[in-house]
Amino acid sequence: MSDGAAGGSGQVILAGVPLGNPGDASARLRSALATAPVIAAEDTRRMRRLCSDLDITPTGRVVSFFDANETSRVPLLLDALAAGEDVLVVTDAGMPSVSDPGYRLVVAAVAAGYPVTALPGPSAVTTALALSGLPCDRFCFEGFLPRRAGERAKVLDGLAREPRTLVFFEAPHRLAESLAALAAAFGPERAGAVCRELSKTYEEVKRDNLGALAEWAAGDVRGEITVVVAGFVAGAEASSVDLAAAVALRESAGMPRKEAIAEVAQSLGVPKRAVFDAVVAAKSAPPA
């Protein structure tokens, strides 16, 4: 650990922790967990379990630091920094601040003039991206989608023509609903990948189009989930079947057909008449 910044102040250390396999812990993380004067942990029990798996006994003070108490804990941690104590921030998995606690402390520490550094480590975002089989040269991370259907649809409509690969986090009990919403907004033929339990015993990467992934996820899917979706390709036109399926998915969620047609047309960049014709053709097509 460092001796703190000039003037005797401590520093904030953001530490990437294993996604599930303790063997991924770096030597620097092991040393920091053993010697940090203060450890701000998203879940103190998980942190102690990790230390036990690594055969480490923390010598510093352990402070709970999660979403509900993050704001109220910041002044306490700033006091520790002022007293010359380094503050090690760890979450349940991956890097702090990335859809996890840490950001508010970083902002406050920077504003107060305290140094902030990181112990690089595992990240579900880049791990899933690399395993997805989708383009990795340009991507954007969107975190968790809104839980409310209307808010989620609005967000996805804004992303429908995003050319970069998209990465999302999702809870297993909301996965099927979110994948159906993605298929409705982007078209069921858009390529995607669901990465489950990364680095753990039952790691699984399911690669398919969004429509098929939504059907698969209707089963019992468990564990930590990261979803990767291909970006929009300019000039790529959705088929008549894709357009009709996108409207049907929205109708099944309770949206009136006229509104569903308008939203599909806007999100996929095609004329409303083309979407309407696709729906009519699908209704008149003989059963397969």
Side-chain angles (χ1 to χ4, degrees):
M1 302 301 294
S2 75
D3 293 327
S9 65
Q11 64 178 335
V12 175
I13 304 169
L14 305 173
V17 301
L19 301 177
N21 189 328
D24 293 334
S26 69
R28 292 179 67 196
L29 174 62
R30 291 169 182 264
S31 175
L33 286 169
T35 63
V38 179
I39 301 176
E42 181 180 13
D43 187 322
T44 58
R45 291 172 299 179
R46 288 197 182 189
M47 186 278 298
R48 293 190 186 281
R49 189 181 311 132
L50 174 61
C51 288
S52 177
D53 290 339
L54 299 176
D55 196 24
I56 291 170
T57 301
T59 57
R61 178 163 46 106
V62 178
V63 177
S64 66
F65 188 59
F66 55 96
D67 288 340
N69 75 357
E70 184 177 2
T71 299
S72 63
R73 282 283 194 262
V74 167
L76 172 70
L77 298 176
L78 290 178
D79 287 344
L81 294 171
E85 295 180 311
D86 288 342
V87 175
L88 179 71
V89 182
V90 295
T91 62
D92 292 348
M95 284 296 298
S97 296
V98 182
S99 284
D100 273 324
Y103 172 73
R104 292 181 178 87
L105 177 59
V106 170
V107 171
V110 170
Y114 298 114
V116 178
T117 188
L119 299 183
S123 167
V125 176
T126 53
T127 302
L129 181 67
L131 292 176
S132 69
L134 297 171
C136 302
D137 54 336
R138 298 178 67 228
F139 71 95
C140 55
F141 173 60
E142 291 294 327
F144 287 92
L145 287 169
R147 297 185 183 187
R148 295 177 183 271
E151 294 175 6
R152 182 173 57 228
K154 184 176 181 180
V155 168
L156 292 179
D157 279 345
L159 293 171
R161 299 178 72 83
E162 167 58 58
R164 294 170 294 181
T165 299
L166 297 157
V167 183
F168 303 90
F169 285 161
E170 192 49 275
H173 63 279
R174 292 197 299 269
L175 179 62
E177 184 179 356
S178 290
L179 286 169
L182 282 161
F186 298 172
E189 292 304 315
R190 181 83 69 92
V194 176
C195 303
R196 186 180 71 85
E197 293 291 88
L198 290 171
S199 83
K200 302 176 185 177
T201 302
Y202 298 105
E203 175 179 289
E204 179 182 21
V205 180
K206 185 74 172 178
R207 306 174 184 88
D208 212 319
N209 62 56
L210 291 174
L213 289 173
E215 292 181 8
W216 165 78
D220 187 19
V221 180
R222 301 181 181 181
E224 300 288 335
I225 304 290
T226 306
V227 178
V228 186
V229 181
F232 173 78
V233 178
E237 295 185 2
S239 69
S240 177
V241 173
D242 291 342
L243 295 174
V247 172
L249 280 169
R250 290 170 184 256
E251 286 188 281
S252 67
M255 182 178 291
R257 179 174 299 173
K258 184 176 180 180
E259 185 178 346
I261 288 173
E263 288 206 0
V264 169
Q266 180 181 9
S267 65
L268 298 182
V270 297
K272 283 193 288 186
R273 183 69 194 184
V275 181
F276 175 80
D277 290 345
V279 172
V280 171
K283 294 293 183 183
S284 60

